[in-house]
Amino acid sequence: MEVILAEYLGFCYGVKRAIEIARENASPDGTSSTLGPIIHNPQMVERLKNEGVGTVASLGEMEDGLVIIRSHGVGPKVYEEAESRGLELVDATCPHVKKAQLSAKLLSEEGYTVVIVGEKEHPEVKSIFEWTQHGARIIETEEEADALPKCGKLGVVCQTTFSSDRFRSIVSCLLEKSRDIKILRTICTATDMRQTAALELAEKVDMMLVVGGKNSANTTRLAQLCATKCRTYHIETVAELQDEWMNNVNKIGITAGASTPDWIIKEVYKQCQSRA
Ligand code: F3S
């Protein structure tokens, strides 16, 4: 039996970078913290805590020390507050998110009504919003785009992890709203790359294992996509693997969601290999 890892899986560049930056700034005396959990994976947060990087929900929880901004980014007020409180700030905002923030800021300064295409409750979208001068409309669906009143100058940016197809569809509704529309496609390719690699692998194997949180939207999406090509199981950890799944299987493919740490992927890989 052959066990094959997808060519692109697990953490994206921005999350890997943020974790490296957090590790470089760890302090055993407990004075380094990320603002919000670095990723939505409790095991990773715990591991970092043991290495000397805690988590705070707000800067008000810190009297001194060093605060690390996670890959989702934050608004300008957080930088100002850190400075006024005398906290050292290390910025691990993903460069792609930074670009979306600056694009929204520039559009706003140039007098555009800014539309952010993305999920209203996503921390990255909230951070992009904070960089606009006069606020922005956050649009998640075609219906919301249709409901937007006509306006003069319309500037559009996008949540980096938003689906390209849905962005295109929402933009086609927005084109009706203004004669002066500037569209900045600030989507990052990490999600597409992960999905494409998973689908390519799923076509070649008898069974796919998709590793990641059951509450992770991008992992669930990966599992749905793989299931269109072959028998697929979505597992959170190696403990869920079942022997009978391997019956009559020659090739197993493995992929993982954006918040799945490498060591969890390796455990699944090794366990499959040991049964090969
Ligand atoms: Fe990751 Fe940055 Fe893209 S955090 S998903 S590489 S925008």
Side-chain angles (χ1 to χ4, degrees):
M1 189 167 69
E2 202 181 341
V3 187
I4 312 169
L5 288 171
E7 204 176 327
Y8 187 88
L9 77 173
F11 288 167
C12 60
Y13 149 79
V15 166
K16 272 189 199 147
R17 177 177 171 273
I19 290 171
E20 273 164 25
I21 292 175
R23 284 196 160 125
E24 282 161 14
N25 288 282
S27 73
D29 60 355
T31 53
S32 290
S33 297
T34 59
L35 183 57
I38 194 127
I39 54 164
H40 287 119
N41 179 281
Q43 292 93 342
M44 187 74 229
V45 172
E46 188 60 28
R47 199 172 258 212
L48 276 182
K49 192 175 160 200
N50 294 334
E51 291 176 22
V53 184
T55 308
V56 291
S58 75
L59 295 186
E61 291 175 34
M62 296 180 74
E63 288 192 355
D64 52 17
L66 181 146
V67 62
I68 300 155
I69 304 303
R70 57 190 179 167
S71 57
H72 299 315
V74 291
K77 286 197 185 104
V78 173
Y79 295 84
E80 287 160 19
E81 192 186 340
E83 193 177 355
S84 70
R85 288 173 151 272
L87 299 170
E88 193 181 338
L89 185 145
V90 173
D91 195 352
T93 305
C94 173
H96 297 295
V97 175
K98 202 73 164 179
K99 188 173 161 208
Q101 291 174 337
L102 293 180
S103 301
K105 180 173 182 274
L106 274 177
L107 286 170
S108 182
E109 284 168 359
E110 288 168 8
Y112 286 85
T113 298
V114 178
V115 165
I116 305 167
V117 178
E119 300 153 73
K120 293 182 183 67
E121 292 309 316
H122 197 287
E124 177 201 321
V125 171
K126 289 183 178 173
S127 86
I128 298 171
F129 180 92
E130 292 288 321
W131 283 95
T132 57
Q133 272 183 342
H134 314 288
R137 298 289 192 114
I138 302 173
I139 285 184
E140 211 169 330
T141 63
E142 288 80 355
E143 292 73 30
E144 286 170 357
D146 283 336
L148 194 79
K150 288 205 179 339
C151 60
K153 290 164 70 165
L154 190 64
V156 184
V157 297
C158 189
Q159 178 184 335
T160 56
T161 49
F162 207 71
S163 139
S164 310
D165 289 346
R166 284 196 48 220
F167 179 65
R168 217 172 295 125
S169 165
I170 290 173
V171 162
S172 70
C173 304
L174 292 174
L175 287 173
E176 312 282 317
K177 303 297 174 184
S178 168
R179 291 193 177 170
D180 184 356
I181 182 164
K182 199 168 185 178
I183 298 157
L184 301 174
R185 197 182 173 283
T186 48
I187 295 181
C188 134
T189 52
T191 308
D192 278 351
M193 280 166 64
R194 196 182 298 103
Q195 289 180 353
T196 305
L199 274 170
E200 278 172 11
L201 183 55
E203 274 178 352
K204 288 191 257 172
V205 297
D206 306 306
M207 178 184 110
M208 279 297 288
L209 294 172
V210 181
V211 190
K214 295 272 163 66
N215 60 353
S216 153
N218 78 82
T219 313
T220 305
R221 181 76 191 126
L222 275 179
Q224 287 166 346
L225 287 171
C226 292
T228 64
K229 302 290 177 193
C230 69
R231 185 154 56 91
T232 298
Y233 298 98
H234 177 173
I235 57 171
E236 285 195 354
T237 66
V238 69
E240 289 168 59
L241 269 184
Q242 291 182 27
D243 279 338
E244 60 263 32
W245 294 350
M246 318 281 174
N247 293 341
N248 305 319
V249 167
N250 291 320
K251 283 184 186 173
I252 298 179
I254 299 176
T255 184
S259 52
T260 310
D262 284 354
W263 81 84
I264 294 183
I265 304 171
K266 272 186 203 141
E267 278 173 1
V268 173
Y269 179 75
K270 276 192 193 153
Q271 186 67 17
C272 289
Q273 276 204 321
S274 73
R275 296 180 191 201

